Amino acid sequence: PFVQRVRWFNSVIELDRQRLGLDVTDPVSMLMGWGMNHNNTRQVATISRENVLEDAYNSFNPIGESFKAKLGVTFINEFGQEAGIDGGGITKEFLTSVSDEGFKNEKYRLFVENSEHELYPSSRIKSPIHLKYLWFMGKVLGKCLYEQVLIDVTFADFFMKKILKNEQNYHSSFDDLASLDQELYSNLVKLLDMRQDEIDALELHFEITDDDTKTSVELVPNGSDKRVTKANIFQYVLCVADYKLNRKLYRPTLYFQRGLSAMIPSHWIEMFNSVELQMLISGGSRDIDLEDLKASTQCGGYLENDKTVVQLWEILAEFTPQQRFKFIKFVTSVPRAPLQGFAALNPHFGIRNAGREIDRLPTASTCVNLLKLPDYKDKNLLKQKLLYAINAEARFDLS
């Protein structure tokens, strides 16, 4: 079962921590020599909010496997050094910030989207530094898996399958084209059912116009002279899919996967399929289990039966699943529940009393999964303020 495989995966990571001597305090482990490795030293860095990816790459890419160790990160913004709570939260904030910038920022264009807004590496990456950034983003994803930090990133299914096909040279099949370009896939499938006269009318040859360079590329030797017919139409559609999925994306996939495997060896994840790997990365896709969340929530300045806390749970129960996802993202930075339930969330989900200034909005410290909730004592006002806050999708500095 998937849940048991997730536990096994996490146990393999714990054994790897012991091998490297990371965070080991057990006397037996120390006696056996674990915990004496140089990797036990906290890796420190100062990261500017203006240049998160560059600073992270320069600080952590050269240290190799030591990236698996605890991180000591100090964030700098336009006003100076940010305060931060180091209880696992700083590493989470760092990883989610680097992920947002590396996977989604238009500044680098390391990744592009399909029609479903799912990500895959850009085939346009040519410069050495951008290829190195792509390698590093693989390491960042590996670090997220290593630390069980969920990130709000959804990858195209064909790309997840490539990551799992390391021994098969990341080779994708024709049906994988649907998750790259659904329109092209549908059109190619239609070609297979066409009559000879319909195919002749299209005047197709074994060549394709490259989307990036706008030049013609031959799919087979002398492809520009080879006409597509009913007899070779199957070969043609396979060649188009192979060019789009494999020939163009081989290099960026290779760089990303090599970075990932520096943190998470391929054989650790080959027991998962592409959908399960996506769930490991970004959590489950079901509705939020409020009873599980409530049982795992810690309150500060509130009691469980305080009026505002009781009203909060009532409002969350009345929310639509989409609104509940937005609420969870507001507090934790990821709109999904942990695979092993909220008890596995680190740090635990928390609600803190933010005082009686009821004109203020609820805020959150996503680095420590903490909701700072003013004591409104008015259900309608609480719902109004909460909806405004979670729909604004604002980011907050560490505090």
Side-chain angles (χ1 to χ4, degrees):
F2 174 61
V3 173
Q4 290 184 24
R5 281 180 282 131
V6 171
R7 292 195 190 108
W8 184 87
F9 173 71
N10 291 332
S11 71
V12 170
I13 290 175
E14 287 307 309
L15 287 173
D16 192 62
R17 288 183 185 277
Q18 293 179 359
R19 175 182 68 86
L20 295 170
L22 304 179
D23 316 327
V24 174
T25 56
D26 175 44
V28 176
S29 298
M30 298 296 290
L31 184 63
M32 295 297 291
W34 298 330
M36 306 303 291
N37 193 289
H38 69 281
N39 285 317
N40 204 34
T41 304
R42 182 184 296 270
Q43 303 297 326
V44 298
T46 298
I47 306 295
S48 167
R49 291 285 187 183
E50 295 297 315
N51 300 290
V52 173
L53 179 56
E54 292 100 320
D55 290 351
Y57 172 81
N58 292 331
S59 298
F60 295 126
N61 195 58
I63 66 176
E65 204 174 30
S66 294
F67 193 40
K68 293 178 177 180
K70 279 189 175 182
L71 305 181
V73 176
T74 300
F75 280 104
I76 303 293
N77 61 27
E78 57 185 312
F79 303 109
Q81 181 174 323
E82 296 179 17
I85 305 168
D86 194 1
I90 298 296
T91 294
K92 177 176 181 287
E93 172 68 13
F94 167 74
L95 291 173
T96 53
S97 296
V98 177
S99 297
D100 283 346
E101 188 155 314
F103 290 123
K104 302 175 183 180
N105 199 317
E106 288 291 309
K107 177 180 178 181
Y108 306 101
R109 295 184 178 273
L110 300 178
F111 290 79
V112 293
E113 295 182 344
N114 63 14
S115 59
E116 299 298 317
H117 306 293
E118 298 164 337
L119 299 175
Y120 61 93
S122 172
S123 60
R124 297 186 179 186
I125 297 175
K126 304 296 181 185
S127 71
I129 186 60
H130 280 184
L131 285 170
K132 290 177 181 177
Y133 285 162
L134 198 58
W135 178 297
F136 182 64
M137 290 311 300
K139 290 185 69 174
V140 169
L141 180 61
K143 177 70 170 176
C144 291
L145 292 170
Y146 202 85
E147 300 291 344
Q148 299 181 48
V149 171
L150 300 179
I151 54 175
D152 186 18
V153 177
T154 302
F155 294 103
D157 189 63
F158 82 88
F159 180 60
M160 290 286 90
K161 288 179 180 177
K162 279 184 176 291
I163 295 300
L164 295 170
K165 290 181 178 179
N166 180 38
E167 294 183 358
Q168 300 173 38
N169 210 22
Y170 321 113
H171 190 82
S172 298
S173 64
F174 173 72
D175 285 336
D176 293 325
L177 185 63
S179 64
L180 171 69
D181 189 331
Q182 179 63 54
E183 184 179 3
L184 176 61
Y185 175 76
S186 298
N187 289 336
L188 291 176
V189 170
K190 290 175 184 176
L191 280 178
L192 297 174
D193 294 328
M194 285 186 177
R195 302 187 308 271
Q196 181 64 59
D197 60 314
E198 292 175 320
I199 295 174
D200 289 341
L202 295 174
E203 298 184 350
L204 296 174
H205 292 78
F206 276 73
E207 60 182 352
I208 192 171
T209 300
D210 187 274
D211 294 333
D212 300 335
T213 64
K214 306 304 179 185
T215 59
S216 181
V217 177
E218 293 186 327
L219 298 174
V220 296
N222 301 315
S224 58
D225 298 324
K226 184 175 181 179
R227 188 139 185 175
V228 177
T229 66
K230 186 67 176 176
N232 62 25
I233 188 66
F234 192 66
Q235 180 192 8
Y236 172 74
V237 299
L238 291 180
C239 285
V240 172
D242 182 63
Y243 178 75
K244 289 282 191 176
L245 290 165
N246 300 317
R247 289 168 60 179
K248 281 181 66 68
L249 292 173
Y250 175 75
R251 196 180 189 196
T253 301
L254 175 67
Y255 271 76
F256 184 85
Q257 202 281 333
R258 291 285 173 84
L260 173 61
S261 63
M263 303 293 293
I264 304 292
S266 300
H267 61 276
W268 288 9
I269 55 175
E270 63 185 7
M271 60 181 166
F272 301 109
N273 62 33
S274 57
V275 175
E276 293 169 340
L277 179 57
Q278 179 63 60
M279 291 174 67
L280 273 180
I281 293 168
S282 58
S285 57
R286 302 189 304 272
D287 194 2
I288 301 301
D289 185 340
L290 288 181
E291 290 303 314
D292 177 45
L293 175 61
K294 188 175 181 179
S296 305
T297 296
Q298 299 176 346
C299 293
Y302 279 122
L303 298 177
E304 291 182 7
N305 58 354
D306 281 346
K307 188 174 183 179
T308 297
V309 175
V310 171
Q311 290 171 345
L312 173 65
W313 294 117
E314 291 175 354
I315 290 169
L316 290 176
E318 295 165 4
F319 273 0
T320 65
Q322 191 60 36
Q323 288 173 325
R324 284 191 282 270
F325 284 136
K326 284 188 175 183
F327 171 74
I328 293 301
K329 181 176 182 179
F330 178 71
V331 183
T332 71
S333 78
V334 180
R336 295 176 185 87
L339 291 179
Q340 297 174 293
F342 283 99
L345 194 65
N346 184 28
H348 283 303
F349 195 97
I351 302 172
R352 194 181 79 190
N353 191 327
R356 279 289 293 160
E357 297 179 54
I358 61 174
D359 58 325
R360 296 178 58 196
L361 290 170
T363 58
S365 288
T366 58
C367 61
V368 286
N369 306 318
L370 180 66
L371 174 66
K372 303 172 185 176
L373 185 66
D375 193 8
Y376 297 112
K377 296 183 179 178
D378 181 319
K379 185 174 179 179
N380 289 331
L381 181 61
L382 170 55
K383 186 173 184 178
Q384 173 193 341
K385 296 284 189 179
L386 189 61
L387 281 171
Y388 187 94
I390 66 175
N391 287 319
E393 296 187 347
R395 293 294 299 270
F396 295 92
D397 290 338
L398 302 178
S399 63

